[in-house]
């Protein structure tokens, strides 16, 4: 997305008029699926040429959505500062746009170093890997799921 034009394609901004601070990208993903399928048919072998622009446009839609909700929450809840965490914190475009938005709000915005902005899925995979190495295997057919389980319990 870094080399693409973020305004090249019209990608919907999900839930921009909802009154809450939630966001969901399922509708955006469906829209992108249909758009890219249509573009693939229309462009054939030339489809690969538009990938940077399309990715930049999709990224911009997602970043705009996150920034808008973060600004809305900050205006309403009035925190002393805001911290961005998780894998999304590694996104350069999101950092730039949040920095600009929060500078206008005069609210400090903190980001971890990109090397520390890891995806939770990677953490879970690593925990699973170490369990596997210790021979702690589960039978998928009888596995009990506990989504709120704390690692180490």
């Amino acid at each position: 997305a870094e080399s693409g034009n973020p305004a090249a394609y019209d990608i919907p901004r999900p839930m921009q008029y909802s009154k809450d601070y939630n966001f969901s990208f399922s509708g955006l993903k469906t829209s992108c699926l249909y758009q890219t399928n249509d573009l693939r048919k229309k462009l054939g072998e030339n489809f690969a040429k538009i990938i940077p622009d399309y990715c930049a446009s999709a990224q911009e839609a997602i970043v705009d959505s996150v920034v808008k909700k973060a600004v809305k929450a900050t205006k309403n809840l009035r925190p002393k500062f805001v911290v961005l965490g998780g894998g999304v914190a590694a996104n350069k475009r999101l950092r730039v746009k949040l920095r600009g938005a929060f500078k206008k709000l005069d609210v400090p915005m903190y980001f971890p170093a990109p090397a520390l902005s890891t995806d939770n899925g990677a953490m879970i995979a690593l925990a699973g890997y170490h369990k596997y190495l210790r021979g702690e295997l589960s039978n998928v057919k009888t596995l009990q799921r506990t989504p709120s389980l704390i690692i180490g319990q």
Side-chain angles (χ1 to χ4, degrees):
E2 268 186 317
S3 67
N5 174 1
Y9 292 92
D10 184 26
I11 310 287
R13 271 57 178 170
M15 299 179 67
Q16 62 182 331
Y17 301 111
S18 68
K19 304 248 185 261
D20 56 33
Y21 310 125
N22 302 323
F23 39 85
S24 168
F25 298 112
S26 60
L28 181 135
K29 290 186 289 186
T30 301
S31 176
C32 288
L33 173 68
Y34 290 132
Q35 283 181 339
T36 55
N37 284 344
D38 290 345
L39 287 165
R40 199 181 305 264
K41 287 176 192 171
K42 179 180 168 187
L43 299 173
E45 291 180 13
N46 291 321
F47 176 75
K49 294 177 183 174
I50 63 105
I51 290 175
D53 286 345
Y54 195 86
C55 289
S57 297
Q59 175 181 255
E60 196 73 3
I62 293 165
V63 166
D64 286 350
S65 298
V66 172
V67 170
K68 183 171 186 164
K69 293 290 183 155
V71 166
K72 180 180 184 175
T74 301
K75 285 180 176 178
N76 291 340
L77 301 173
R78 305 169 97 128
K80 293 179 183 174
F81 60 89
V82 175
V83 177
L84 180 66
V88 71
N91 185 283
K92 292 176 190 174
R93 184 69 178 153
L94 180 59
R95 286 173 175 251
V96 166
K97 291 195 89 170
L98 280 171
R99 242 185 228 111
F102 279 80
K103 188 173 184 178
K104 289 178 187 173
L105 293 173
D106 198 30
V107 174
M109 179 84 203
Y110 299 102
F111 306 92
L116 300 175
S117 301
T118 58
D119 189 315
N120 293 342
M123 177 186 67
I124 297 302
L126 183 62
Y129 173 71
H130 286 286
K131 282 184 166 256
Y132 170 78
L133 290 178
R134 291 191 305 267
E136 297 177 31
L137 306 176
S138 299
N139 182 332
V140 173
K141 294 179 182 176
T142 60
L143 183 66
Q144 295 295 313
R145 290 149 215 56
T146 311
S148 61
L149 184 67
I150 296 171
I151 291 181
Q153 288 187 346

